[in-house]
Amino acid sequence: GAVVSQHPSRVICKSGTSVKIECRSLDFQATTMFWYRQFPKQSLMLMATSNEGSKATYEQGVEKDKFLINHASLTLSTLTVTSAHPEDSSFYICSAATGQSYNEQFFGPGTRLTVL
Amino acid sequence: KQEVTQIPAALSVPEGENLVLNCSFTDSAIYNLQWFRQDPGKGLTSLLLIQSSQREQTSGRLNASLDKSSGRSTLYIAASQPGDSATYLCAVGNYGQNFVFGPGTRLSVLP
């Protein structure tokens, strides 16, 4: 149980285009989902926290107008990278929490974004 | 602000060796600590979760210890195998806050 999927697993796009990444909890309802970014040889950095039906909370330094997050249902959150640039190339990982505690998260397999 | 460090940054050992990975954190008021494994270009696999009231957890060849007062955790891997090669991440959970991840230790187990 507690499986989280992401789609796509890998995406290559041209600079200036927008890319949408989906995060799904397959066998449980996730009241809270988290989006992380990982640059090469660096650890995961939290970008934002999204709660179903409400606006996402962004970490300091993360542009909310560039990284649009939608958590429309208890099993799906989407991250849209708008007007992507090469510096946005990174590994994006989502996680889902089953309850109120941040500390019971299940992680997705990640999405590799490459912006040319 | 919680800060997490991991030593060593990289480690290369011959197959069969026992090894220890270290994780240190600055704020001892933690909720729990979790060790993850990450294979290249892949997501995270949870290995062991230690609650703040626990001192260690074991799973197969893995043993994780926690010393809150000194702000340290160790991950012990017994009889290492080439399949253990990966990056190992330590993540600290504080009350009401999200995980703070360490930078990871890249492990290579040579056959």
Side-chain angles (χ1 to χ4, degrees):
Chain A
V3 177
V4 177
S5 70
Q6 281 185 241
H7 178 80
S9 59
R10 185 183 298 264
V11 58
I12 300 173
C13 68
K14 293 182 178 180
S15 183
T17 60
S18 293
V19 175
K20 180 185 285 189
I21 303 171
E22 292 185 349
C23 176
R24 293 182 184 272
S25 56
L26 298 184
D27 51 2
F28 65 99
Q29 293 186 328
T31 53
T32 307
M33 287 186 171
F34 306 89
W35 288 95
Y36 296 84
R37 180 168 52 184
Q38 185 180 33
F39 291 108
K41 297 187 178 182
Q42 295 186 28
S43 193
L44 278 73
M45 297 298 293
L46 180 67
M47 298 176 65
T49 302
S50 74
N51 292 292
E52 186 263 340
S54 63
K55 290 183 178 181
T57 302
Y58 291 81
E59 295 299 301
Q60 191 173 9
V62 178
E63 300 175 58
K64 62 180 181 180
D65 294 330
K66 181 170 184 62
F67 299 99
L68 302 179
I69 292 173
N70 184 284
H71 192 163
S73 76
L74 287 172
T75 59
L76 173 65
S77 176
T78 60
L79 168 68
T80 301
V81 184
T82 61
S83 187
H85 289 94
E87 57 266 30
D88 298 324
S89 298
S90 186
F91 193 57
Y92 292 86
I93 300 179
C94 75
S95 70
T98 57
Q100 295 300 314
S101 171
Y102 287 143
N103 304 122
E104 295 175 335
Q105 297 179 37
F106 300 93
F107 287 81
T111 297
R112 171 74 60 193
L113 170 63
T114 302
V115 184
L116 303 177
Chain B
K1 178 185 175 184
Q2 180 72 272
E3 294 182 1
V4 182
T5 56
Q6 290 185 246
I7 295 174
L11 181 63
S12 183
V13 300
E15 181 177 5
E17 273 202 10
N18 302 325
L19 55 98
V20 175
L21 308 181
N22 297 289
C23 172
S24 297
F25 47 94
T26 55
D27 185 351
S28 62
I30 68 172
Y31 183 81
N32 59 21
L33 184 145
Q34 195 160 358
W35 283 92
F36 294 89
R37 168 185 173 139
Q38 184 177 30
D39 292 284
K42 300 291 180 63
L44 304 182
T45 300
S46 178
L47 299 174
L48 290 165
L49 171 66
I50 309 177
Q51 301 294 345
S52 62
S53 59
Q54 298 175 321
R55 294 191 67 85
E56 67 176 341
Q57 282 286 340
T58 298
S59 176
R61 294 182 293 108
L62 306 179
N63 176 277
S65 68
L66 174 64
D67 184 345
K68 279 201 316 178
S69 60
S70 66
R72 294 179 182 177
S73 175
T74 61
L75 179 66
Y76 175 83
I77 302 177
S80 58
Q81 303 170 358
D84 295 330
S85 298
T87 295
Y88 290 82
L89 296 170
C90 161
V92 176
N94 287 83
Y95 288 94
Q97 300 175 35
N98 209 312
F99 282 121
V100 176
F101 284 84
T105 294
R106 293 191 307 280
L107 173 65
S108 296
V109 181
L110 307 175

